[in-house]
Amino acid sequence: MDFAFTPEQEAFRREARAWLAAHVPKAPLPSMDTAEGFAAHREWEKTLHDGGYAMVSWPVEYGGRGCNLIEWLIFEEEYWGAGAPGRVNQNGIFLLGPTLMEFGTPEQKARYLPRMARSEEVWAQGWSEPNAGSDMAAIRTSARVDGDHYVLNGQKTWCSRAAFADWIFCLVRTDPKSERHKGLSFILVPLDTPGVRVRPIPQLDGETGFAEVFFDDARVPRGNRLGPEHEGWKIAMATAGFERGLMLRSPARFQATARRLRSLWKTRGADPALRDTVARAWMDAEAYSLSTYATASRLLAGGRIGAEASLNKIFWSEMDVKMHETALALLGTDAGLVPPAAPPEAAGWLDGFLFALAGPIYAGTNEIQRNVIAERVLGLPRE
Ligand SMILES: Cc1cc2nc3c(=O)[nH]c(=O)nc-3n(C[C@H](O)[C@H](O)[C@H](O)COP(=O)(O)OP(=O)(O)OC[C@H]3O[C@@H](n4cnc5c(N)ncnc54)[C@H](O)[C@@H]3O)c2cc1C
């Protein structure tokens, strides 16, 4: 085991750090769950792309930099360390992108990946339905074959950023006689297709982070299917593996939170009662980073992400909640204040806490991840 970086990796880190120092917006962008913030984040993605940093681990021909996963982790450390904006196209670049690389035809890769890297096309994820969340195999949205097209009918819900996105990748039932995991297909749908209606869902704060998407006889070319017909479940599970196991939440994000937490603890008088909790948060973030480097090394050696991705997802989501709870405890009643009454060190913690609470729900709830670990990692009986 070698924990050191190579001279080339160190050089890449310095180069990325310098570029980010010169380009990261000085003031935070407005929330990406508003029309204005979404547009500003899309612009930032174009800046990243022009600098060659949109998705460093992708092949150059698709708009990447040809780096390996270790270099991607290094870039993420620099990215979060520089306080750069959240990635508005995360469903595309972190979830659909790797899935397309594995299952897409050469034509599909050439069609979708470069536009995704430039965020000319921002993606939403259309899996959940009103009666198919944890139980995703209960999906009922149908896609009937009609000549060269599928005709879609049904409803998706909780689609992050779909209120403003351009495309959505969906899991739909292509075999009407099928049940559960069988007979599903993975289909890419432009959100401006006639018969597709997007209804934003306002959140507690009034912003529209989600949307419901309705399909009423929406016609989509059959060529928009990713992978074989009726075998969408296998492809969706690969996407979920990238989501839970590696890409969606890189360790650098939590290491940055742990650094902010340590500095908050010092600013708020270094309360000895919370010292161990703050130290624990730091150690957890470091442990998560080491474990992710181990996963990346395993993948580089030809390994694959499997059910153990569920362990990862539980770890980062629960760590995030804990870190934010600790911050709120340090801030006390100041946590609820808004500018100009709020002290500067309170900025972002309450919003971060509210979002952290969603971590144990999205990407598959932690209860479901515990079921997966019990059955598929530990081999315990199903009931
Ligand atoms: C911030 C956020 C972003 C999201 N973004 C998207 C998105 O972009 N696209 C998308 O398709 N979906 C998205 N979702 C939806 C998310 O995937 C679902 O909320 C999640 O899968 C749970 O489904 P549900 O809400 O229907 O809850 P339910 O499935 O109804 O579950 C309710 C409760 O019962 C528990 N439960 C259910 N079944 C079991 C079981 N067998 N064993 C033990 N406990 C069980 C669950 O853990 C949960 O606590 C998002 C959700 C959030 C919070």
Side-chain angles (χ1 to χ4, degrees), residues 1 115 317 347:
M1 196 176 293
R115 288 174 220 206
S317 57

PDB file of all heavy atoms in Angstrom, residues 1 115 317 347:
ATOM      1  N   MET A   1       0.853  -1.196   0.000  1.00  0.00           N
ATOM      2  CA  MET A   1       0.000   0.000   0.000  1.00  0.00           C
ATOM      3  C   MET A   1       0.891   1.250   0.000  1.00  0.00           C
ATOM      4  O   MET A   1       1.839   1.319   0.777  1.00  0.00           O
ATOM      5  CB  MET A   1      -0.879  -0.035   1.250  1.00  0.00           C
ATOM      6  CG  MET A   1      -2.042   0.907   1.162  1.00  0.00           C
ATOM      7  SD  MET A   1      -3.111   0.760   2.600  1.00  0.00           S
ATOM      8  CE  MET A   1      -3.794  -0.874   2.398  1.00  0.00           C
ATOM      9  N   ARG A 115     -21.854  17.132 -24.819  1.00  0.00           N
ATOM     10  CA  ARG A 115     -22.816  18.180 -24.427  1.00  0.00           C
ATOM     11  C   ARG A 115     -23.041  18.176 -22.920  1.00  0.00           C
ATOM     12  O   ARG A 115     -23.333  19.204 -22.314  1.00  0.00           O
ATOM     13  CB  ARG A 115     -24.156  17.975 -25.129  1.00  0.00           C
ATOM     14  CG  ARG A 115     -24.046  18.326 -26.609  1.00  0.00           C
ATOM     15  CD  ARG A 115     -25.310  17.988 -27.342  1.00  0.00           C
ATOM     16  NE  ARG A 115     -24.967  17.424 -28.640  1.00  0.00           N
ATOM     17  CZ  ARG A 115     -25.740  17.457 -29.702  1.00  0.00           C
ATOM     18  NH1 ARG A 115     -26.923  17.992 -29.631  1.00  0.00           N
ATOM     19  NH2 ARG A 115     -25.337  16.918 -30.831  1.00  0.00           N
ATOM     20  N   SER A 317     -23.711   9.807   4.486  1.00  0.00           N
ATOM     21  CA  SER A 317     -24.937  10.552   4.794  1.00  0.00           C
ATOM     22  C   SER A 317     -25.079  10.761   6.304  1.00  0.00           C
ATOM     23  O   SER A 317     -25.472  11.847   6.743  1.00  0.00           O
ATOM     24  CB  SER A 317     -26.165   9.846   4.207  1.00  0.00           C
ATOM     25  OG  SER A 317     -26.264   8.530   4.682  1.00  0.00           O
ATOM     26  N   ALA A 347     -22.881  31.359   8.683  1.00  0.00           N
ATOM     27  CA  ALA A 347     -23.318  31.276   7.274  1.00  0.00           C
ATOM     28  C   ALA A 347     -23.304  29.849   6.755  1.00  0.00           C
ATOM     29  O   ALA A 347     -22.308  29.131   6.868  1.00  0.00           O
ATOM     30  CB  ALA A 347     -22.412  32.152   6.408  1.00  0.00           C
TER      31      ALA A 347
END
